[in-house]
Amino acid sequence: MSAPELLSYRLWVNGHAREVEGGRLEESLLYVLRERLGLTGTKNACEEGECGSCSVLVDGRLECSCTILAASAVGRDIVTLEGLSPGGGATALQLAFVEAGAVQCGFCTPGLVVAVTDLLARVPEPTDDEIREAISGNLCRCTGYGRIVEAVRRAARAQAAGMRTAP
Amino acid sequence: MIVTKAPPLPRLGKSLRRPDGMAKARGVFKFSSDLDEPGMLWGHLVRSPHPAARIAEIDISPARAMAGAAAVLLAGDVPGRPTYGLNYPDQPVFASDEVRHVGEVVAAVAADHPLTARRAAEAVAVRYEVGEPVTDPEVALRAAPVHPLGNVLAEQRVVRGDVAAEGDVVVEGYYETGMQDQAFLGTEAALAVPDGQGGIDIYVATQWLHIDQDQISASLGVPHDQVRVHLAGVGGSFGAREDLSMQIPLCLLALRTGRAVKMVFGREESFLGHVHRHPARMWYRHSADRSGRLVKVEARILLDGGAYLSSSPAVLSNVACFAAGPYRVPNAFVEATCARTNNPPCGAMRGFGSVQVCVAHEAQMDRLAAALGMDPIELRRRNALRPGDDLVTGQVLEGAVPVIELLEACSSAPLPPERHWETTEPGDLALPGGSGRAAEPLRVRRGVGVALGFKNIMFSCAFDDYSVARCRLEGGRVTITTAAAEVGQGLVTLLHQIAGEVLGTDEVVLAEASTVGIGSAGSTSASRQSVMTGGAVQAACQAVADAVLAATAARVGVPRASLQLAGGRVVSDDGCVDVPVAEAGALCGECFEETVTYQHAATAELDEKGQGDAHVAFVFSAHRAVVDVDVDLGLVKVVEMTTAQDVGRVLNPLQLVGQIEGGTSQGVGFAVMEELIVEHGRVRNPSFTDYAIPTALDMPPVRIAALVQEPQPGLPFGAKGAGEPPAISSTAAVLAAVRDATGVAVNRAPVHPPDIALALAPGTRAGQGDAGVTPS
Ligand code: FES
Ligand code: FES
């Protein structure tokens, strides 16, 4: 078999231009983020669009990065888990996950954090049904979701309190 | 409600946060699939597409010739033992003459890119002479051997009392459980790095580092101490990582190429590449007197073990021991067999053995209650095991046996409000099937079911079960070293709490788990680590505390006998000395280090009549399920799960809730959706598209009606392991609720919609015979 054709292109990830050199056409965005750009906060639990562990925001929309070809994401605005807290610290949502006991093995956690960040931006005070529906594309095998729902409630409350006290 | 019979402790019993929680939430925690090494290669395995075939020829030249391919290995490339296995090495590293299940590993390749590795694996040309697979465990018992060691993987009888005894009322039933998958989110992954001197380091997500080391070393033909196994971040395990997956081929590739090699299973390969929960067929006959007291339980249970042994003997032993459920049973006859077939190998999964029989014994109890015209809760109360009772194996129960308390707590908890379906719009999320399925509100029926279960914790049947821990105290800082695998359950938090409790400090560091310089911690399974490694850490810290006490006496110039350890502090009789142990150690200016092996009380093998003190301790579990079922479509919505658990002592309430909710949800999944469909030896649904696990919409809230804290004598802090019990009785409770809602005699986990819908379809009579399946 002949050697595959190699591509070079530029992605916008977390507000920065990132060069991809010698990539292959069939590489998913998930693969390029993890293996070429070192952004392993995006997880790879199924690579078939069924688990949500690879969730990223593409042009502000929640997407599974495993189902997108990286080379097709040129020119799009990609935000990964790492881009949610640019300073490197923890967001209130991440803190809520830890404090509510929503993290066990933690493999689902990054994807959930991205999905819930998206939810709370759209629906600041979600009902339990809205929370469950919003995270129903994110599989978690460890927690049974009870503490995750609780973490989202807490984060929503914290966000609402923050907004009320904001000048 | 927490039923407390234990005095509080300063640090244990608090919801300390997980030390690794924030790293996981921020995505900086390194899972095994996140590892890399400059210049590393990617490995891929070649697997059999056939359940039974002879290998006529393997041509690796097309794979070898591929640009970027670095190595292709076959059975002849295994320098050491050609086979491996958890209990007994009956499984080839690479099949060479015949394959016995779909997914059996035939070859391994390494290449410079994962896609190249996959293509190279596809290019390995294996010519198979396809044979006729043995896929029915009943047939297997009479068929030609699938393996030179024969088709009986394990068998155990339990004979107790007068097997001819008979009560006034007799009920019989046939039950089945399907093949469940652990379906952890982090697929199998590892990185192997050769050291250039013939040795190797492997960083792997596993449950038991030292047993991996034993098996890798044997097959590599590399001395034990040159195979260093390190725990890499584990994305859940639930039993599936107790057997080796890729460890030996991956190390062989690294040694052959002299380069680091990484391998990550895709989801489909993960489904094919680890053991599953044993499917079971169970024939039961219960008899009782008119007052409802059990007179005899008879059971014949057949497990499908698949092609290789794995942990089938331990699973089968549990099936036999716990077949009668947590009840007083004066007479019993149980015959349990595990057959070898050409189906995928089965082995450990959370609650093994107990989960399967719970489905059957609880359905039998409900059936018996109906035959007696008695309330099923009352029937269970009458027969529940109590402290000092003995099991059908003759073992006397010591310590906590809170079966009645669990039952009362679950059954008396308030019920969720009834739905008023007349006002519900089609498409409401609360409807069975959710918004996407067209359940008809007025055809929804509610049902409630209760189930009890129990299981052993720690390894049983005379196994030499131990864990080693080291405690080092230097300058007030505590470092704990063990080889115990944190798999998500939160052991790391508990070890912090335990060390802190004994040494009076929060300054505790856990060293990375590896086989280097520390003995085995045993497996992260059988709900054993909080007891075993928790116990080892407690003992090591206690030994350090004793040494600190002696050194403090010398330093202060008081008799040793005038000092005591109390609540993590060194205190003197006169009150002049009162300081946390860790601080006292720092004041002594010395480094204290102790390594301790913790072992639980010895257990015995079961004899040929299944009698013997085979287990060191038991945990009991109760669930109540509330379901709504659309009787036309057969769709089930689990509305609420209530549970009560026997925990000994709560070490970390928040983590305990996490174990309970997570275990309950795996049981709910097994009840209503999770089944690997295997046809003619082929797994038909190896993806999350087709093997559905509960989502946040499927999994209802879990109400914890009671945590019974009755410290178990002989266990550290009296705490029982909590990993498995929540998974034991939840499946059976959901099935009971479905029967209650529909009147259909559902006898199978999982229940599929047609089992309900077809049984209730016009022209059939609900509740007549067993819905779902009939014995072959
Ligand atoms: S890894 Fe993308 S959805 Fe599962
Ligand atoms: S915490 Fe393990 S999968 Fe969610």
Side-chain angles (χ1 to χ4, degrees):
Chain A
M1 198 182 90
S2 59
E5 194 192 331
L6 303 181
L7 313 168
S8 293
Y9 51 92
R10 172 184 292 175
L11 295 178
W12 278 97
V13 183
N14 300 330
H16 298 285
R18 301 292 304 263
E19 306 297 334
V20 177
E21 310 273 353
R24 294 202 198 178
L25 182 60
E26 63 268 57
E27 287 171 1
S28 67
L29 179 58
L30 172 65
Y31 178 85
V32 168
L33 290 172
R34 289 175 51 80
E35 303 297 339
R36 295 193 179 274
L37 304 181
L39 295 170
T40 51
T42 305
K43 296 298 171 208
N44 53 345
C46 77
E47 301 188 56
E48 55 194 19
E50 287 291 342
C51 76
S53 74
C54 63
S55 297
V56 296
L57 298 171
V58 179
D59 291 340
R61 276 181 47 128
L62 188 65
E63 302 271 7
C64 292
S65 61
C66 69
T67 58
I68 300 173
L69 286 179
S72 76
V74 168
R76 320 275 297 274
D77 175 27
I78 300 157
V79 177
T80 69
L81 179 76
E82 291 87 348
L84 297 180
S85 48
T91 64
L93 178 61
Q94 287 164 327
L95 194 63
F97 263 71
V98 177
E99 289 188 336
V103 180
Q104 289 190 30
C105 86
F107 208 85
C108 66
T109 311
L112 275 157
V113 168
V114 174
V116 174
T117 301
D118 174 62
L119 168 71
L120 294 183
R122 290 182 291 111
V123 188
E125 293 179 64
T127 63
D128 278 8
D129 275 356
E130 286 171 324
I131 295 171
R132 286 183 178 271
E133 195 165 23
I135 63 171
S136 64
N138 292 79
L139 297 179
C140 172
R141 189 53 157 170
C142 300
T143 66
Y145 305 101
R147 296 311 94 202
I148 294 174
V149 172
E150 174 60 19
V152 181
R153 287 189 201 123
R154 284 192 198 189
R157 278 201 300 270
Q159 180 176 289
M163 275 198 286
R164 274 195 291 277
T165 56
Chain B
M1 176 181 76
I2 294 190
V3 182
T4 299
K5 299 172 189 171
L9 297 167
R11 283 183 176 75
L12 286 170
K14 309 265 183 326
S15 290
L16 189 74
R17 275 200 231 157
R18 300 184 63 100
D20 56 4
M22 191 45 86
K24 287 174 171 176
R26 292 182 49 227
V28 296
F29 179 88
K30 288 284 179 206
F31 289 95
S32 54
S33 53
D34 297 332
L35 303 176
D36 63 4
E37 184 77 9
M40 73 181 181
L41 298 168
W42 291 80
H44 204 97
L45 300 175
V46 178
R47 295 177 179 275
S48 165
H50 304 294
R54 290 202 54 77
I55 297 176
E57 192 190 341
I58 304 179
D59 180 7
I60 62 169
S61 50
R64 264 272 170 70
M66 201 170 276
V72 184
L73 302 182
L74 300 173
D77 299 304
V78 181
R81 193 173 70 190
T83 55
Y84 70 98
L86 206 49
N87 270 256
Y88 180 87
D90 69 339
Q91 189 157 7
V93 175
F94 297 114
S96 56
D97 51 349
E98 93 182 92
V99 289
R100 300 188 178 87
H101 68 93
V102 170
E104 180 152 9
V105 176
V106 175
V109 304
D112 59 359
H113 190 285
L115 291 168
T116 310
R118 189 157 80 207
R119 303 245 159 84
E122 284 160 11
V124 172
V126 187
R127 191 157 66 76
Y128 294 98
E129 288 164 3
V130 177
E132 194 51 45
V134 178
T135 57
D136 184 312
E138 195 81 45
V139 172
L141 297 178
R142 306 183 300 268
V146 163
H147 184 283
L149 293 172
N151 291 354
V152 177
L153 291 173
E155 49 191 339
Q156 179 68 55
R157 275 184 178 203
V158 176
V159 183
R160 171 185 169 87
D162 173 12
V163 296
E166 189 88 325
D168 305 313
V169 179
V170 176
V171 292
E172 292 185 348
Y174 170 73
Y175 307 93
E176 270 192 22
T177 56
M179 187 182 282
Q180 190 182 18
D181 191 82
Q182 298 83 353
F184 43 58
L185 274 238
T187 61
E188 290 82 353
L191 173 72
V193 186
D195 67 7
Q197 285 151 12
I200 191 139
D201 290 87
I202 175 167
Y203 302 82
V204 60
T206 182
Q207 289 178 230
W208 186 355
L209 296 167
H210 282 80
I211 202 149
D212 285 12
Q213 181 191 32
D214 292 346
Q215 296 176 85
I216 298 167
S217 156
S219 289
L220 263 47
V222 169
H224 218 245
D225 59 347
Q226 290 179 45
V227 174
R228 293 166 296 267
V229 184
H230 310 269
L231 186 70
V234 185
S237 62
F238 316 117
R241 298 187 209 266
E242 209 168 37
D243 293 81
L244 295 183
S245 54
M246 61 179 60
Q247 284 90 327
I248 298 170
L250 185 68
C251 288
L252 288 170
L253 288 170
L255 289 174
R256 171 62 68 92
T257 58
R259 291 168 68 177
V261 186
K262 175 174 168 175
M263 199 183 293
V264 182
F265 286 1
R267 180 53 55 184
E268 176 172 348
E269 186 170 21
S270 180
F271 274 112
L272 298 176
H274 62 236
V275 297
H276 313 291
R277 190 187 293 293
H278 290 73
R281 297 180 185 178
M282 301 172 279
W283 293 260
Y284 267 74
R285 191 164 184 273
H286 277 55
S287 76
D289 66 19
R290 289 203 194 286
S291 72
R293 247 180 291 277
L294 286 170
V295 172
K296 186 174 62 175
V297 172
E298 293 164 277
R300 177 172 171 253
I301 300 167
L302 179 61
L303 300 184
D304 182 351
Y308 293 106
L309 185 64
S310 181
S311 47
S312 285
V315 180
L316 188 87
S317 159
N318 280 5
V319 160
C321 287
F322 308 123
Y327 304 110
R328 295 171 152 174
V329 177
N331 308 294
F333 183 81
V334 178
E335 200 174 52
T337 310
C338 182
R340 192 196 299 267
T341 65
N342 291 112
N343 289 325
C346 290
M349 183 173 173
R350 199 175 198 172
F352 68 45
S354 290
V355 168
Q356 289 96 330
V357 295
C358 188
V359 165
H361 63 63
E362 290 307 275
Q364 281 287 99
M365 291 302 276
D366 287 345
R367 195 168 271 203
L368 184 59
L372 286 158
M374 188 181 282
D375 172 36
I377 307 291
E378 178 55 27
L379 178 70
R380 286 176 170 82
R381 187 183 296 116
R382 261 178 218 192
N383 289 288
L385 285 170
R386 290 167 191 152
D389 283 349
D390 56 357
L391 303 178
V392 290
T393 57
Q395 180 162 4
V396 176
L397 294 169
E398 283 161 17
V401 186
V403 184
I404 292 175
E405 279 168 278
L406 301 179
L407 177 67
E408 303 279 346
C410 259
S411 53
S412 64
L415 283 163
E418 282 283 345
R419 287 288 307 204
H420 295 290
W421 294 113
E422 6 359 303
T423 58
T424 301
E425 293 293 319
D428 188 299
L429 270 187
L431 281 165
S435 61
R437 310 281 276 282
E440 165 59 48
L442 295 177
R443 297 293 289 158
V444 175
R445 303 284 177 269
R446 176 155 289 189
V448 181
V450 169
L452 299 175
F454 77 134
K455 191 184 175 291
N456 57 328
I457 53 174
M458 284 85 78
F459 281 19
S460 298
C461 299
F463 189 87
D464 179 19
D465 198 11
Y466 65 90
S467 177
V468 182
R470 177 173 310 126
C471 171
R472 181 183 169 93
L473 173 63
E474 191 171 20
R477 227 171 93 104
V478 180
T479 305
I480 300 294
T481 306
T482 80
E486 164 66 46
V487 298
Q489 81 279 40
L491 179 69
V492 286
T493 328
L494 297 186
L495 298 186
H496 266 91
Q497 288 179 274
I498 290 169
E501 184 75 41
V502 179
L503 298 174
T505 180
D506 296 322
E507 295 288 302
V508 179
V509 172
L510 295 189
E512 305 262 300
S514 88
T515 58
V516 180
I518 189 84
S520 176
S523 179
T524 296
S525 63
S527 308
R528 65 181 284 293
Q529 286 297 19
S530 52
V531 174
M532 300 301 294
T533 298
V537 167
Q538 182 199 22
C541 292
Q542 191 62 49
V544 163
D546 290 340
V548 168
L549 182 136
T552 303
R555 184 178 68 81
V556 186
V558 298
R560 193 188 156 128
S562 70
L563 298 181
Q564 281 129 42
L565 294 168
R569 305 175 76 85
V570 182
V571 289
S572 63
D573 295 340
D574 59 9
C576 291
V577 179
D578 185 354
V579 56
V581 178
E583 209 178 308
L587 291 171
C588 294
E590 295 174 42
C591 171
F592 300 86
E593 185 177 296
E594 299 287 345
T595 304
V596 174
T597 301
Y598 178 84
Q599 228 157 348
H600 62 64
T603 58
E605 307 253 24
L606 293 174
D607 65 19
E608 72 283 358
K609 290 191 157 180
Q611 301 298 297
D613 293 346
H615 306 293
V616 66
F618 304 90
V619 282
F620 300 89
S621 164
H623 278 91
R624 183 189 69 193
V626 178
V627 302
D628 285 336
V629 184
D630 180 303
V631 290
D632 294 329
L633 299 178
L635 297 171
V636 178
K637 166 90 183 172
V638 182
V639 176
E640 186 197 78
M641 295 297 291
T642 297
T643 186
Q645 299 285 328
D646 159 34
V647 296
R649 180 197 285 277
V650 179
L651 299 180
N652 182 312
L654 189 59
Q655 290 194 171
L656 178 62
V657 168
Q659 287 301 302
I660 292 172
E661 291 180 335
T664 299
S665 86
Q666 292 183 357
V668 167
F670 194 32
V672 298
M673 57 177 72
E674 289 183 36
E675 180 170 19
L676 275 181
I677 308 288
V678 182
E679 284 173 9
H680 307 298
R682 291 189 163 76
V683 177
R684 290 299 184 196
N685 54 341
S687 73
F688 280 149
T689 316
D690 300 314
Y691 183 94
I693 63 173
T695 68
L697 289 174
D698 300 309
M699 185 55 203
V702 177
R703 178 203 302 271
I704 299 177
L707 300 173
V708 177
Q709 292 202 75
E710 186 176 341
Q712 178 68 16
L715 302 186
F717 307 105
K720 294 180 171 183
E724 294 173 288
I728 295 171
S729 46
S730 57
T731 304
V734 172
L735 295 180
V738 172
R739 287 191 292 266
D740 182 51
T742 61
V744 177
V746 170
N747 68 331
R748 185 174 202 284
V751 57
H752 296 294
D755 302 341
I756 299 166
L758 295 181
L760 293 175
T764 64
R765 285 170 63 205
Q768 295 297 300
D770 294 326
V773 288
T774 44
S776 56

